[in-house]
Amino acid sequence: MATTLSSSAGPAGAERGLGLLRTMVRIRVLEEGIEKHFLAGDIPGFAHLSIGQEAVAAGTCANLRRDDAIASTHRGHGHTLAKGTTMRAMVAELFARTTGVCKGKGGSMHIADFSVGMLGANGVVAGGFGLVAGAALSAVLRKTDQVAVCFFGDGATNRGPFHENLNLCAIWNLPAIFVLENNRYASTTSTAETMKITDVARRADGYGMPSAIVDGFDAFAVFDALETAVARARSGGGPTFVECKTYRARGHYIGDPERYRRKTEVEDVMSTSDPIVRMQAVLSDELSPQQFEHLWAEARDEFADAVAFARNSPSPEQSEAFFGVYAGDRDPGDPVHRIAARERDALLPFAPSVGTGSQGSGH
Amino acid sequence: MHTVTFSEATLEAMREEMRRDATVFLMGEDIAKQGGIFGQFKGLPEEFGVERVRDTPISEAALVGAGVGAALTGCRPVVDMHFADFITCSMDELVNQAAKLRAMFGEQCVVPMTLRAPDGITKSAGAQHSQSLESWFVHTPGLEVVVPADPEDAKGLLKAAIRSDNPTLYFEHKALFPVKGPVPDDDDFVVPIGKAKPMRDGTDVTIVTYGITVTRALEAAALLEAEGIEVAVLNLRTLWPLDYDAIADAAARTHRIVVAHEAVRVGGVGAEIAAFLGEQCFDDLDGPVVRLGAAHVPVPFAPALQEAMYPKTPAIADAARRLARREL
Ligand SMILES: Cc1ncc(C[n+]2csc(CCOP(=O)(O)OP(=O)(O)O)c2C)c(N)n1
Ligand SMILES: [Mg+2]
């Protein structure tokens, strides 16, 4: 595995390392908090955690500008936070409140923040490939130097859209970057069961797309690979494929019984590879234990503030269920508004009142 | 009779059909190792081996495409779509291939494939994991569509789907999997495709419905009984071929019809039923056919919003009550 730690060298490296560490710690604190609040019943729906994979989100997004685009996956909390969404906007969304970044209509699996170029988590595996190809095409057509990054899992590379969009980006030389988080599993199946190769990056060869394989636990290594890829894309050099070898340290979703792997496997990997522990070790000459503790304390405060913000935010009015689908549907003069209003009038009188955090599913 | 959950009823069907016919096999994502998200595949790999119970990569187009190919050449594949929403990832294979081949090739072949599709609204799964898409497939010539409402339907319709020589979509509502109910003991019990089932009689109004909404309609009927309104409930069971005779019969008996489903109302199966009643049973009707279905919106995540946008027991009861009282 190529782990050239060029970006870690010198005082500039320490500064960068601190930034990467801060992002990873914020993601970890956010996700451990999400886990706790999900189990407490504060968060409806599904939630997939990226604990163990934080270096990929941090190392990638540290190379991106606010106006660059990313597309994420069902496991998207880290990408979203690293791209610049506030914890408040995220936690309020997961708590299904009006102040959430998607007004409570998306939730964990469908979180998006267009104000920072985050084109969405995705409930459909491989849903991001096309969005990124299109965002990259749009950057070219609009004559900007923006780039578009697609995060995706090993499992997603077995779907057709992977093939079609990588080929398209390659032949059109689009400023797209494909960041694979190879975490060894797609839900219950291991990569060994679902593909004959171990380095998925070999698939990029089939499209004539340059690729790199990096240690996905090493935020510097991810940073370096993305620095090269982003420079190539911005300068008209076309797409790049970066495979990050990483590991999912939690169940596929919160509540996964995880019968497909041994508990000790998780402990073995994390005891040697936890990306945060590794970054703290790299930075231990530059930073004191108190400074590390300060980072964690800051992140915990930020999360506590976000939870308080979410709790103090209202749930959406039930009439909101009928609007916000079509551009124009809030305008009383628009034909689609009249249809939506009629549906509201037919159904709303029967809407059961639903408490915050509850999960309606009864008859 | 014995009592099992809906999920166990589907398991019994799978087991019995796989024992009965060695050409039946099952494939899908995450089905073998943890027994499926709803426990609906538990024990199958142990009994039938991983040759016939296959975990697959995330490749829906390949699953359905290969299902069609295997069905054309002597097998009876059961393909699990994980969530009905992901049928969209295999639409060519289903709509342009499976549905067309027998007619297009002059009856040279059959496509005895079953597609299992857990659907419906539950637990804030959000816009991409909550859809009820059955009307798309009713609209597609060449496909059969069945929707079980309870464990008995679950078992009998799944067995019928597997034995059917046509490509059959089996929509199983996610919230029904843990629901218990009686199931006949007979190994050869099947629910015939194309026949609706009267769930209760009544003289004032019939609620024509299917799937999870049958439970809601029965609850509504029980509420109205206390008010002196006699409501019949017709469980369609199959959406294609639709049991038009049973629907016409309901119109002849009660003269007032409510059609209810969880799928989006606009362009839904209820629209076909209402149109049929208007065209063919006009003289039998004493009031408008009332259609209930979800609003024309993607299912929102927030529980308060999710619960507001589709009809449950109170909305169904209200429609039946007003129709019975001639307020409509
Ligand atoms: C098209 C589609 N098929 C199946 C699923 C169900 N599903 C959700 S996540 C997942 C596994 C994804 O694996 P991978 O791409 O490796 O991402 P990871 O979960 O490891 O982050 C599956 C099968 C889905 N959401 N979309
Ligand atoms: Mg994976």
Side-chain angles (χ1 to χ4, degrees):
Chain A
M1 239 172 267
T3 51
T4 47
L5 295 184
S6 62
S7 59
S8 67
E15 187 66 30
R16 174 165 296 131
L18 183 63
L20 294 170
L21 179 62
R22 180 177 289 117
T23 302
M24 292 194 288
V25 167
R26 289 176 67 228
I27 296 171
R28 180 73 56 91
V29 166
L30 170 67
E31 289 205 307
E32 287 180 349
I34 289 171
E35 191 173 37
K36 198 181 99 207
H37 285 281
F38 186 92
L39 294 171
D42 296 328
I43 296 175
F46 307 145
H48 305 81
L49 302 178
S50 66
I51 291 175
Q53 305 179 196
E54 296 91 341
V56 180
T60 299
C61 292
N63 280 288
L64 300 180
R65 299 191 315 234
R66 194 180 171 94
D67 68 339
D68 290 327
I70 65 167
S72 175
T73 69
H74 55 287
R75 205 177 299 291
H77 304 142
H79 312 142
T80 312
L81 193 71
K83 190 66 176 52
T85 303
T86 66
M87 264 198 213
R88 280 187 167 201
M90 289 186 70
V91 174
E93 183 59 31
L94 270 62
F95 276 55
R97 304 305 164 101
T98 50
T99 51
V101 61
C102 306
K103 303 180 185 172
K105 288 193 170 180
S108 165
M109 202 161 48
H110 321 95
I111 198 163
D113 185 354
F114 283 72
S115 72
V116 299
M118 196 309 196
L119 304 186
N122 215 306
V124 181
V125 168
F129 293 118
L131 306 187
V132 159
L137 175 60
S138 153
V140 171
L141 294 175
R142 289 180 293 106
K143 304 194 193 321
T144 75
D145 67 347
Q146 293 163 312
V147 304
V149 173
C150 187
F151 290 102
F152 56 102
D154 41 276
T157 69
N158 293 324
R159 279 210 54 218
F162 170 82
H163 169 72
E164 298 185 20
N165 287 292
L166 267 72
N167 186 57
L168 193 74
C169 289
I171 59 163
W172 286 352
N173 210 41
L174 298 179
I177 299 160
F178 295 93
V179 178
L180 164 60
E181 298 185 85
N182 185 343
N183 62 6
R184 307 189 203 172
Y185 291 93
S187 336
T188 65
T189 50
S190 71
T191 46
E193 297 164 83
T194 58
M195 54 182 75
K196 283 277 202 176
I197 53 177
T198 48
D199 292 334
V200 187
R202 285 176 58 191
R203 292 188 177 174
D205 296 348
Y207 309 112
M209 188 185 297
S211 67
I213 298 174
V214 301
D215 178 350
F217 300 110
D218 179 346
F220 280 123
V222 176
F223 182 93
D224 288 344
L226 265 294
E227 189 173 45
T228 306
V230 169
R232 179 181 293 137
R234 280 210 209 290
S235 61
T240 304
F241 187 106
V242 180
E243 175 172 4
C244 305
K245 305 279 195 187
T246 180
Y247 191 73
R248 159 161 69 66
R250 286 295 198 274
H252 170 55
Y253 55 92
I254 301 177
D256 181 1
E258 291 184 71
R259 286 190 209 104
Y260 47 86
R261 67 181 180 186
R262 286 170 294 110
K263 269 238 139 42
T264 50
E265 181 187 297
V266 182
E267 286 154 17
D268 287 350
V269 174
M270 286 300 274
S271 66
T272 54
S273 303
D274 184 329
I276 295 181
V277 175
R278 279 180 51 175
M279 181 58 84
Q280 291 191 163
V282 172
L283 297 178
S284 60
D285 287 345
E286 328 281 337
L287 295 182
S288 67
Q290 288 77 10
Q291 284 172 296
F292 287 135
E293 189 37 51
H294 182 67
L295 275 187
W296 286 92
E298 261 180 1
R300 286 192 204 104
D301 287 348
E302 187 184 3
F303 181 71
D305 165 74
V307 170
F309 172 76
R311 283 203 197 287
N312 290 327
S313 301
S315 288
E317 295 289 339
Q318 288 187 299
S319 60
E320 262 299 291
F322 303 90
F323 298 97
V325 178
Y326 293 91
D329 69 6
R330 292 184 190 278
D331 171 3
D334 194 287
V336 78
H337 176 87
R338 291 198 289 278
I339 294 173
R342 214 176 295 140
E343 298 215 294
R344 174 198 59 200
D345 295 344
L347 286 166
L348 199 56
F350 306 102
S353 66
V354 174
T356 54
S358 101
Q359 310 189 350
S361 65
H363 303 127
Chain B
M1 286 281 187
H2 57 290
T3 298
V4 291
T5 63
F6 185 102
S7 170
E8 286 159 353
T10 68
L11 249 179
E12 286 183 6
M14 288 303 308
R15 250 190 254 118
E16 289 170 13
E17 293 310 299
M18 291 183 79
R19 281 176 198 153
R20 181 175 174 270
D21 181 347
T23 70
V24 176
F25 73 98
L26 171 65
M27 55 182 171
E29 293 155 22
D30 304 302
I31 61 176
K33 279 202 210 61
Q34 285 186 174
I37 322 176
F38 309 100
Q40 73 273 47
F41 304 113
K42 234 178 223 146
L44 293 178
E46 289 78 1
E47 178 170 352
F48 300 102
V50 291
E51 271 291 297
R52 289 177 72 196
V53 181
R54 290 176 172 258
D55 265 340
T56 69
I58 308 172
S59 305
E60 286 80 9
L63 286 189
V64 178
V68 178
L72 286 174
T73 52
C75 290
R76 284 186 183 270
V78 179
V79 177
D80 175 57
M81 299 309 301
H82 215 60
F83 284 82
D85 310 74
F86 309 147
I87 298 174
T88 57
C89 303
S90 56
M91 282 297 265
D92 167 60
E93 289 71 13
L94 187 58
V95 173
N96 294 324
Q97 311 301 326
K100 304 285 189 282
L101 301 187
R102 176 170 171 77
M104 198 167 69
F105 296 152
E107 297 165 69
Q108 292 181 75
C109 57
V110 289
V111 186
M113 174 178 70
T114 302
L115 226 94
R116 292 188 59 176
D119 70 350
I121 295 171
T122 188
K123 292 188 177 165
S124 282
Q128 296 172 330
H129 285 71
S130 300
Q131 298 169 87
S132 295
L133 300 174
E134 59 272 14
S135 70
W136 295 3
F137 305 104
V138 170
H139 187 74
T140 301
L143 302 174
E144 290 176 338
V145 181
V146 299
V147 190
D150 54 27
E152 178 182 321
D153 288 5
K155 180 165 182 180
L157 284 172
L158 183 52
K159 286 167 71 88
I162 293 170
R163 293 184 192 186
S164 168
D165 279 338
N166 297 307
T168 306
L169 286 101
Y170 177 91
F171 287 102
E172 38 197 339
H173 198 291
K174 297 188 284 287
L176 285 178
F177 280 106
V179 171
K180 287 202 170 111
V183 167
D185 295 324
D186 176 11
D187 267 14
D188 249 346
F189 162 71
V190 295
V191 168
I193 290 177
K195 290 230 62 87
K197 178 190 179 191
M199 303 296 281
R200 61 175 277 159
D201 283 335
T203 49
D204 294 323
V205 52
T206 303
I207 304 172
V208 177
T209 183
Y210 58 90
I212 196 167
T213 311
V214 169
T215 310
R216 296 165 184 157
L218 290 170
E219 286 171 359
L223 285 175
L224 296 180
E225 189 174 0
E227 301 172 18
I229 300 171
E230 296 298 323
V231 177
V233 175
L234 183 67
N235 170 8
L236 290 170
R237 287 183 154 176
T238 300
L239 298 183
W240 198 265
L242 188 60
D243 192 347
Y244 288 105
D245 293 341
I247 297 166
D249 190 52
R253 281 166 190 270
T254 63
H255 314 294
R256 295 178 197 88
I257 304 283
V258 172
V259 190
H261 50 63
E262 195 185 280
V264 169
R265 190 179 57 95
V266 176
V269 169
E272 169 61 24
I273 293 170
F276 164 74
L277 287 167
E279 286 171 348
Q280 308 281 326
C281 307
F282 190 72
D283 291 339
D284 279 330
L285 294 175
D286 282 349
V289 177
V290 179
R291 276 187 303 142
L292 297 171
H296 195 251
V297 303
V299 180
F301 161 70
L305 302 182
Q306 175 195 277
E307 290 305 287
M309 50 66 69
Y310 68 102
K312 302 220 284 191
T313 305
I316 297 168
D318 175 76
R321 180 187 297 117
R322 288 198 289 149
L323 196 54
R325 290 185 185 157
R326 295 159 201 240
E327 290 168 15
L328 288 172

